[in-house]
Amino acid sequence: MSGLPEAIAGDMHKAKRLEWWTLIGMASVVVVMYFAMGSSQAMKTAFLEDLLGLVPAATFLFATRLESKNPTERHPFGFVRVNSLAFLTSAVVLATMGLWLFYSGVTALLKQEHPTIGPITVFGHTIWLGWVMIAALAYSVVIPTILGRHKKPIAENLRDKVLHTDAQMQKADWQTGLAGILGIIGIGLGFWWADAAAAAFISLSILFDGVKNVRIASAELLDGAPRKLKGSGLSPEAVRLRERLERHYPSARVRVRESGRYMIADLRGIEVPAIVPSLDELMGSDPGWRLAEINFTPPDCAREDLEN
Amino acid sequence: MWRWALTGLTGLILASCDMPRDPERTTSLVGETGTIRLGWIENAQADGHVCDALAELQETTGADLQIRRGDSEEILAELAEGKIDLAYGNFAMDSPWSKEVHFGRAIGWRAKPPKHESVQRFAMRHGENGWIMTVEKAARP
């Protein structure tokens, strides 16, 4: 299995362009945030989240480059599953960072650290650095909002979990930006705990997203049944495919697994049929490109049959 | 929902007009008592810049100085505990005390001195952002 199906080539092109824009846009956000960061915990959390936001975009571009490569002697099945590996990598990064940021936020709250945000002199005028931070955070909200909106429908068309995680992260980015602004305003109003509380709140959302994605990615790497793009439930497309195959081959044991963005069906206990139903028949109204392979294992060919 | 959000936002903007404020009310207490409790590190010299900064601070707050002298450990510990409002002395930015108190700008310097160099500065309590702004404005060159 190599190359990209024609049906999704256009969307893939758009996705790559969006991810390049993400790298450029979010890098500019990271630079602005770094210079305005100061000693605010929420701002530091938002900065790290924006920095982490570059990971899914970079892994997506890396994975798509590898995915279209032809199989080699060492990798005879191609590199389709690099997408799954990239997804697991970005999910683990997300979860780890969420945990670390939650720890920092809660520690700051328990130690009752009073964050200092001092003045800064700009063009001869001394202003509170908090205003600069709020402006930087507002900028950090704009770019992910625009990019995230464009990515979601494309991720759904491509059945691409990395792109979907990226779109999710962009949602988290703008929520983080808003929570950060509230944290800074909280400090400005004299509530020392507002900053650390905002940071802990933001990190919880990062942590939950990370853990959820680790579960989905692990299921895929363990040859689990295909999962939904949004959540850990079974993919309705995979369930429908299994039901159609069971109708066509009632005596077979049907299993469907996921390999990257594709599905592979395994039918055990029946002879290889002379004629296989068409893709339209098997996939119905679902996109045909998702079904990459159907494997038939005749009776007495599987190891468990041979051992009995 | 939008009405609530707009009301909340308007309230926030109005409340943020006098930002930043102090969690421990240093600026308000200085105004209410008419006194700035200043800890002066022994042997610290005051040049014209420091005198100007203190005069400006007194004028801005309408408060008088109540000076208490002591060694740096004693004065900075009192500042961290909130027993005094301000400390003056020669401090390096990389001092271990920088975690406990906030060191202001180097007085009389246009550029930033090296972090390890002890120069004349004011020190304030961490987190008292309104008070820090007031002192730093008074101490600017």
Side-chain angles (χ1 to χ4, degrees):
Chain A
M1 188 168 36
S2 68
L4 202 67
E6 269 301 305
I8 55 170
D11 278 327
M12 183 56 88
H13 180 69
K14 278 186 208 164
K16 281 184 188 172
R17 207 175 48 198
L18 270 175
E19 290 297 44
W20 277 113
W21 277 115
T22 303
L23 286 182
I24 297 166
M26 293 310 288
S28 77
V29 168
V30 166
V31 171
V32 169
M33 296 281 277
Y34 176 78
F35 284 109
M37 194 159 56
S39 60
S40 156
Q41 186 70 30
M43 190 86 182
K44 200 190 294 173
T45 309
F47 163 76
L48 282 170
E49 203 196 0
D50 289 333
L51 190 67
L52 268 180
L54 297 172
V55 176
T59 43
F60 176 84
L61 288 169
F62 173 72
T64 47
R65 211 183 173 91
L66 264 184
E67 188 185 335
S68 55
K69 274 193 164 186
N70 288 326
T72 62
E73 194 183 344
R74 289 166 69 85
H75 296 279
F77 292 97
F79 297 89
V80 173
R81 291 183 87 173
V82 74
N83 184 285
S84 315
L85 189 63
F87 180 47
L88 181 69
T89 311
S90 49
V92 169
V93 170
L94 203 65
T96 311
M97 198 48 81
L99 199 63
W100 182 76
L101 291 172
F102 182 68
Y103 170 78
S104 317
V106 170
T107 313
L109 269 179
L110 291 176
K111 283 186 185 167
Q112 301 192 5
E113 285 172 6
H114 287 39
T116 295
I117 301 179
I120 183 174
T121 303
V122 185
F123 305 120
H125 294 279
T126 303
I127 56 164
W128 186 46
L129 182 61
W131 293 118
V132 179
M133 290 175 163
I134 289 171
L137 282 163
Y139 175 63
S140 83
V141 165
V142 176
I143 289 182
T145 308
I146 298 168
L147 289 170
R149 268 175 184 269
H150 282 89
K151 277 179 199 171
K152 271 211 162 160
I154 299 176
E156 280 164 23
N157 290 347
L158 291 174
R159 309 296 192 272
D160 197 299
K161 292 196 176 87
V162 182
L163 193 64
H164 190 260
T165 308
D166 193 21
Q168 263 183 325
M169 269 199 80
Q170 307 244 265
K171 189 180 164 196
D173 282 345
W174 69 255
Q175 288 172 342
T176 302
L178 287 184
I181 289 173
L182 287 178
I184 304 290
I185 291 177
I187 294 177
L189 293 175
F191 304 116
W192 65 266
W193 46 265
D195 182 54
F201 173 72
I202 297 163
S203 58
L204 267 186
S205 93
I206 303 174
L207 178 62
F208 285 140
D209 273 352
V211 170
K212 189 176 75 185
N213 290 337
V214 166
R215 283 182 62 196
I216 299 171
S218 309
E220 195 178 325
L221 287 170
L222 286 171
D223 282 340
R227 300 295 203 263
K228 278 181 189 169
L229 206 55
K230 302 171 196 168
S232 55
L234 295 186
S235 154
E237 284 173 2
V239 174
R240 285 194 288 269
L241 172 65
R242 196 191 65 218
E243 286 168 355
R244 284 187 208 108
L245 285 167
E246 280 170 346
R247 273 201 299 275
H248 277 285
Y249 307 103
S251 60
R253 182 181 161 212
V254 180
R255 295 180 301 179
V256 179
R257 66 183 166 92
E258 201 157 32
S259 183
R261 67 184 82 251
Y262 306 101
M263 294 191 290
I264 294 177
D266 181 74
L267 282 77
R268 191 163 282 195
I270 57 161
E271 296 295 341
V272 181
I275 301 167
V276 178
S278 71
L279 209 53
D280 286 345
E281 235 175 307
L282 287 174
M283 292 303 288
S285 56
D286 296 325
W289 63 265
R290 278 212 84 192
L291 181 59
E293 277 177 32
I294 305 179
N295 301 318
F296 293 92
T297 310
D300 305 327
C301 283
R303 186 170 61 91
E304 55 260 44
D305 298 328
L306 293 170
E307 281 172 354
N308 290 333
Chain B
M1 190 200 161
W2 282 107
R3 193 180 295 169
W4 283 109
L6 205 66
T7 313
L9 196 68
T10 313
L12 213 58
I13 290 168
L14 287 175
S16 65
C17 286
D18 64 339
M19 287 200 323
R21 296 182 198 161
D22 307 319
E24 306 297 336
R25 298 184 61 244
T26 302
T27 312
S28 308
L29 290 170
V30 164
E32 284 165 23
T33 59
T35 308
I36 301 167
R37 297 169 303 173
L38 170 66
W40 195 285
I41 310 289
E42 276 167 350
N43 303 325
Q45 302 297 313
D47 61 9
H49 296 292
V50 177
C51 294
D52 287 349
L54 287 173
E56 165 94 26
L57 190 60
Q58 281 177 280
E59 198 185 316
T60 313
T61 56
D64 294 324
L65 293 175
Q66 188 184 80
I67 300 176
R68 181 185 143 16
R69 291 176 191 273
D71 62 45
S72 59
E73 292 291 309
E74 189 187 350
I75 292 288
L76 291 176
E78 285 189 0
L79 178 66
E81 286 168 15
K83 286 181 182 165
I84 54 174
D85 308 312
L86 187 65
Y88 170 73
N90 290 326
F91 308 114
M93 280 308 258
D94 63 1
S95 151
W97 276 102
S98 64
K99 284 185 183 159
E100 310 297 325
V101 296
H102 174 76
F103 291 129
R105 70 173 87 214
I107 303 169
W109 287 64
R110 284 185 199 278
K112 272 189 181 176
K115 282 189 172 178
H116 62 270
E117 196 169 325
S118 289
V119 296
Q120 48 192 24
R121 301 173 191 276
F122 289 118
M124 288 74 75
R125 268 183 103 181
H126 262 315
E128 296 297 278
N129 297 308
W131 177 238
I132 291 170
M133 280 291 292
T134 308
V135 175
E136 290 286 75
K137 274 186 181 169
R140 73 184 162 191

